[in-house]
Amino acid sequence: MSYLKFEKSKLVNLEYSLDRELLRTNRKGSYACSSIIDCNTRKYHGLLVTEVPEIDEGKHVLLNDIDATVIHNDMEFNLGIHKYAGGVYQPKGHKYVQDFDAEDIPLLTYNVGDVVIRKEKILDNEHDRILIRYEVVDTSSPIKLRIRPFLTFRNVHSLSKANMYANTRIEMVRNGVRLKMYEGYPFLYMQLNSEPEYIHVPDWYYNVEYSEEQARGYDYKEDLFTPGFFEIKLRKKESIVFAAGIDEMKPTGIKHRFTSLRKSRTPRLSYENCLINSAQQFIERHHKTTSLVAGFPWHSGSARYTMISLPGLTLSIGDVESCKKVLNTYIRRMSGPMFPSTLSVDNEQYDQIDAPLWFFYTLQELEKADPRINIWEKYGETMKAIINGYGNGNMGFVKMNDYGLIYAGDNDKPLTWMDAIVKGKPVTPRKGMPVEVQALWYNAISFAIEKAEENNDEEFIKQWAHYLDVIKSSFISRFWSDKGYLADYSSTKEVYWDITPNQIIAAALPYSMLTDEQKEAVVKTVKRQLLTPRGLRTLSPGHPEYQPHYQGNQFDRDRALHKGTAWPWLLEFYVKAITSIHGTEALDEVLELYHSFEDDMTNHGVGTIAEIYDGDPPHDARGAISFAPSVGALLQIRIIIQELLVKKQS
């Protein structure tokens, strides 16, 4: 049996199958995503979602969906499925589904009477194109296959509505048609490898509903445009490949391209393979840059999450070059000591105060993965620019105070990773001195001094070495509690003692201001109050503001995001903290945490790890179906396990 296989009894249960989504990406910035029975439940779903730089910097749904109809013995069986008002699903193609296999490429098998037909999808990794193969496995007589595409041509964050401005005219191309619904968009080429009959019947399908958007309190009804349909006759063992992309293909090359791409795929035969495949899906190479998408299907790039997840997504699987290329992408876009929060050109912001400090952690991991690299020679100027910039306070909203600690504040704008805003106000303000920022600051200076000493940079050493004792003394004095944990943040006048997971970072970084006894106390507090099998809660359940579930409308979700919701990426630092204290004695606990996520391979985002989970059992997956820091953290933990096993055997 396949590692990622779903049987008919589960697939026909819409409550089960619609809650499981499958994502595939290419390296050019395109993706395909839907539920495992190909019923779109989000506005972010689509068979070809791609960038259209002529319109904006976002992603756009060109090909929303396809309905395939099997015509056999003068009877029609529509394999598609869409949701309409009142919980009505029409057509009901899921009732014909026999099984679904996502081990290699997504494969749905349908059984219609004595006809068995397979549908396989593959996203071209070099072109903005989806290829779909329909193969007649069994039939008593030839069938006719009708393929009807549904188009939207809109940004993923919006919805399409029927209108008089849409271009409904098609142009014939080899074995297909091309269409451009609105100016500024590229043509969408829809072709088959064998010549079909095309019937042009332009029409709108009104008020298709997206259940996930409805549950999240957003607009959820969309009108889909179909230009017409293709028909082609097929016999037993025959197949046809449908290609939809922004470039025309030679029909004779369509089937060959599908076969070639299929052979190049790494099967998801195990938990480890799923994580590695998932890691590769976040990397985008285009416009002469290499970057990471923070999560799918709605996140874009993020400097913070790039620096946090980059070691796991690249270095842990031996992809050192991609790590370097991503770092170079952000270095080229720096302003003073800050990285751009996103790589957007239209809306540049430099307000993630921790991202430049996470950069040092990434460099520490890079050096471990590539011991030959001279970090100071390659990145020393960037390291000095960040430290000097924070020390001088030349960004205005972030600066080193008289105690050597980093103070950050910009009115009501949240600057740390706990950045949810409700009604214009941050849910977790943290204006002042956040605990993890101080830990990252100390680690950054310590690492920079180490590299400066190796390279005889006396000027930098003289400027910064004496601050280490000052920072450490100030930090312990202000943040350490005799109850055995660290404060979450401090303003100039008050210390906030909420128990949050941010303190674990202070116990986990290579250079820590904590003694082993203090580290162990922090670990015990975090384990007792915040640890779950799916990540660390963002607030102790004993706190009156604790939110056990992340659900409801945007207001409710944002209120819960950092008030109890569990985040998997924090487990990397929990594991590093416990192993720095207990070494190989922590192996069993680390193994249990790592393997606890294997059950999630067939939930939420199939074959990947979600962004967040409910703080309370059963810890349901929430948020983005695939999140870079979550996947990166587990791959980092995998490396730690390998290191512990080697130590235990030696």
Side-chain angles (χ1 to χ4, degrees):
M1 179 176 287
S2 169
Y3 186 73
L4 299 177
K5 188 169 184 175
F6 301 82
E7 297 177 349
K8 182 179 181 67
S9 60
K10 293 182 176 179
L11 294 168
V12 297
N13 178 359
L14 294 181
E15 187 175 345
Y16 177 92
S17 56
L18 294 181
D19 196 40
R20 284 156 175 80
E21 301 168 56
L22 192 79
L23 168 76
R24 292 293 183 266
T25 76
N26 67 10
R27 301 300 172 261
K28 289 176 62 63
S30 296
Y31 73 80
C33 187
S34 187
S35 66
I36 59 175
I37 56 168
D38 285 349
C39 177
N40 291 344
T41 61
R42 302 183 190 270
K43 61 188 175 186
Y44 303 97
H45 283 168
L47 286 171
L48 183 60
V49 184
T50 188
E51 295 180 346
V52 184
E54 294 80 5
I55 299 291
D56 58 36
E57 294 185 305
K59 297 186 189 295
H60 293 252
V61 183
L62 301 185
L63 180 61
N64 180 281
D65 203 355
I66 282 178
D67 277 9
T69 301
V70 174
I71 304 170
H72 187 236
N73 295 333
D74 297 325
M75 297 181 66
E76 296 186 2
F77 305 90
N78 194 324
L79 309 183
I81 175 172
H82 309 278
K83 182 179 183 293
Y84 294 92
V88 174
Y89 290 87
Q90 188 65 38
K92 297 181 174 63
H94 65 292
K95 68 182 181 181
Y96 304 120
V97 173
Q98 183 172 300
D99 60 51
F100 174 69
D101 189 335
E103 174 191 294
D104 191 353
I105 63 175
L107 190 159
L108 267 168
T109 303
Y110 298 90
N111 192 341
V112 182
D114 64 356
V115 177
V116 178
I117 188 167
R118 288 178 181 163
K119 178 172 70 173
E120 296 174 288
K121 296 181 295 184
I122 196 162
L123 192 67
D124 197 318
N125 56 2
E126 296 178 359
H127 303 275
D128 297 312
R129 181 185 299 126
I130 184 83
L131 296 105
I132 304 172
R133 180 170 70 177
Y134 295 92
E135 179 186 8
V136 180
V137 179
D138 197 11
T139 182
S140 58
S141 58
I143 71 164
K144 184 180 287 186
L145 185 67
R146 179 182 298 156
I147 298 174
R148 182 188 296 274
F150 293 91
L151 316 179
T152 48
F153 279 71
R154 46 86 175 167
N155 187 282
V156 291
H157 299 297
S158 61
L159 289 169
S160 173
K161 299 296 181 183
N163 64 88
M164 61 184 293
Y165 304 105
N167 173 31
T168 63
R169 298 184 303 275
I170 60 98
E171 297 178 20
M172 301 302 296
V173 297
R174 291 170 293 181
N175 288 7
V177 301
R178 73 173 190 172
L179 176 68
K180 177 166 59 176
M181 288 184 66
Y182 305 105
E183 285 301 317
Y185 279 93
F187 278 101
L188 179 67
Y189 291 81
M190 294 172 284
Q191 302 169 270
L192 289 90
N193 63 292
S194 295
E195 186 174 358
E197 180 184 4
Y198 174 73
I199 296 88
H200 188 60
V201 191
D203 199 4
W204 290 90
Y205 280 52
Y206 298 93
N207 295 319
V208 174
E209 296 187 352
Y210 301 128
S211 55
E212 289 294 330
E213 304 306 324
Q214 184 177 10
R216 288 157 58 86
Y218 298 135
D219 291 339
Y220 61 94
K221 294 186 178 184
E222 177 159 64
D223 301 334
L224 306 180
F225 173 71
T226 177
F229 54 87
F230 304 91
E231 285 189 350
I232 193 163
K233 292 182 179 179
L234 295 172
R235 295 181 176 86
K236 182 177 179 179
K237 303 301 182 183
E238 288 186 337
S239 64
I240 189 75
V241 179
F242 172 87
I246 63 172
D247 299 302
E248 185 176 0
M249 292 190 75
K250 291 181 179 179
T252 54
I254 293 177
K255 183 170 283 190
H256 174 76
R257 183 61 180 165
F258 181 93
T259 303
S260 175
L261 289 168
R262 198 183 195 289
K263 288 179 179 178
S264 69
R265 293 300 190 260
T266 302
R268 292 162 173 79
L269 296 170
S270 66
Y271 175 40
E272 184 176 274
N273 273 9
C274 285
L275 291 176
I276 293 171
N277 272 280
S278 182
Q280 295 168 336
Q281 292 195 117
F282 296 105
I283 299 174
E284 290 188 355
R285 299 182 179 94
H286 55 105
H287 310 315
K288 298 181 180 180
T289 65
T290 302
S291 60
L292 292 183
V293 176
F296 289 96
W298 54 76
H299 288 288
S300 59
S302 162
R304 170 186 297 125
Y305 289 135
T306 292
M307 299 303 162
I308 290 172
S309 61
L310 191 57
L313 299 181
T314 59
L315 302 176
S316 76
I317 60 175
D319 189 4
V320 174
E321 287 308 307
S322 288
C323 178
K324 294 176 182 178
K325 289 178 180 178
V326 172
L327 291 178
N328 290 340
T329 295
Y330 276 91
I331 289 170
R332 287 194 296 266
R333 294 282 301 277
M334 288 182 74
S335 175
M338 304 297 289
F339 293 119
S341 301
T342 70
L343 293 175
S344 169
V345 176
D346 295 337
N347 185 28
E348 283 190 327
Q349 296 184 48
Y350 294 83
D351 56 6
Q352 293 182 351
I353 61 166
D354 50 348
L357 303 180
W358 279 114
F359 170 75
F360 290 81
Y361 169 73
T362 302
L363 293 183
Q364 289 169 311
E365 294 296 299
L366 174 59
E367 187 176 50
K368 285 166 56 179
D370 184 9
R372 297 171 300 176
I373 190 173
N374 186 322
I375 291 291
W376 195 250
E377 183 179 291
K378 189 169 180 63
Y379 300 106
E381 291 305 311
T382 304
M383 296 164 75
K384 288 192 285 187
I386 293 170
I387 290 173
N388 290 332
Y390 275 55
N392 298 333
N394 59 11
M395 292 301 288
F397 55 83
V398 55
K399 63 181 179 180
M400 183 179 69
N401 63 20
D402 294 338
Y403 306 100
L405 302 178
I406 296 299
Y407 182 93
D410 189 14
N411 298 321
D412 285 330
K413 189 172 187 177
L415 302 173
T416 72
W417 77 279
M418 291 185 163
D419 55 1
I421 295 177
V422 169
K423 296 182 178 179
K425 299 288 184 180
V427 179
T428 316
R430 309 187 78 219
K431 183 178 180 180
M433 294 167 278
V435 62
E436 77 279 13
V437 172
Q438 314 314 314
L440 289 162
W441 173 237
Y442 180 83
N443 179 70
I445 296 177
S446 299
F447 181 61
I449 289 172
E450 176 195 322
K451 297 299 108 181
E453 288 174 345
E454 292 175 1
N455 289 268
N456 301 314
D457 192 331
E458 299 296 336
E459 182 180 349
F460 181 81
I461 296 168
K462 182 179 180 180
Q463 182 181 1
W464 285 100
H466 67 280
Y467 276 106
L468 292 178
D469 288 339
V470 175
I471 296 169
K472 184 175 182 178
S473 175
S474 300
F475 179 79
I476 296 300
S477 173
R478 183 170 291 268
F479 284 87
W480 179 250
S481 167
D482 291 337
K483 294 180 181 179
Y485 67 96
L486 293 167
D488 186 53
Y489 71 102
S490 171
S491 67
T492 52
K493 297 180 180 179
E494 189 174 355
V495 180
Y496 296 82
W497 294 101
D498 294 347
I499 296 176
T500 76
N502 297 307
Q503 62 186 302
I504 200 66
I505 295 168
L509 290 170
Y511 289 96
S512 174
M513 294 177 280
L514 304 179
T515 65
D516 286 347
E517 291 75 16
Q518 289 170 328
K519 285 183 183 179
E520 188 160 15
V522 166
V523 165
K524 286 181 178 178
T525 298
V526 169
K527 184 174 184 177
R528 184 174 63 251
Q529 302 207 38
L530 305 178
L531 181 64
T532 79
R534 293 292 182 269
L536 298 186
R537 297 185 183 99
T538 39
L539 191 63
S540 168
H543 195 285
E545 295 182 19
Y546 174 73
Q547 299 291 318
H549 301 289
Y550 178 86
Q551 57 190 16
N553 58 31
Q554 186 173 356
F555 173 86
D556 293 331
R557 296 195 316 276
D558 286 344
R559 199 161 53 92
L561 189 60
H562 301 113
K563 293 290 187 179
T565 299
W567 291 71
W569 73 266
L570 293 161
L571 287 177
E572 174 184 343
F573 300 96
Y574 175 80
V575 166
K576 288 193 169 184
I578 63 174
T579 54
S580 72
I581 300 165
H582 301 295
T584 57
E585 293 179 5
L587 180 58
D588 288 345
E589 182 179 357
V590 176
L591 283 167
E592 184 177 356
L593 284 172
Y594 175 71
H595 286 292
S596 69
F597 281 88
E598 188 164 8
D599 291 341
D600 248 34
M601 290 295 99
T602 54
N603 292 324
H604 202 52
V606 174
T608 187
I609 306 298
E611 180 179 10
I612 50 178
Y613 293 79
D614 285 341
D616 273 11
H619 306 295
D620 288 334
R622 306 289 186 184
I625 65 171
S626 185
F627 195 55
S630 300
V631 175
L634 288 173
L635 285 169
Q636 284 285 79
I637 292 171
R638 167 178 160 266
I639 295 297
I640 294 170
I641 290 171
Q642 292 172 355
E643 293 171 349
L644 291 175
L645 288 171
V646 170
K647 288 180 181 178
K648 195 168 185 177
Q649 292 169 0
S650 61

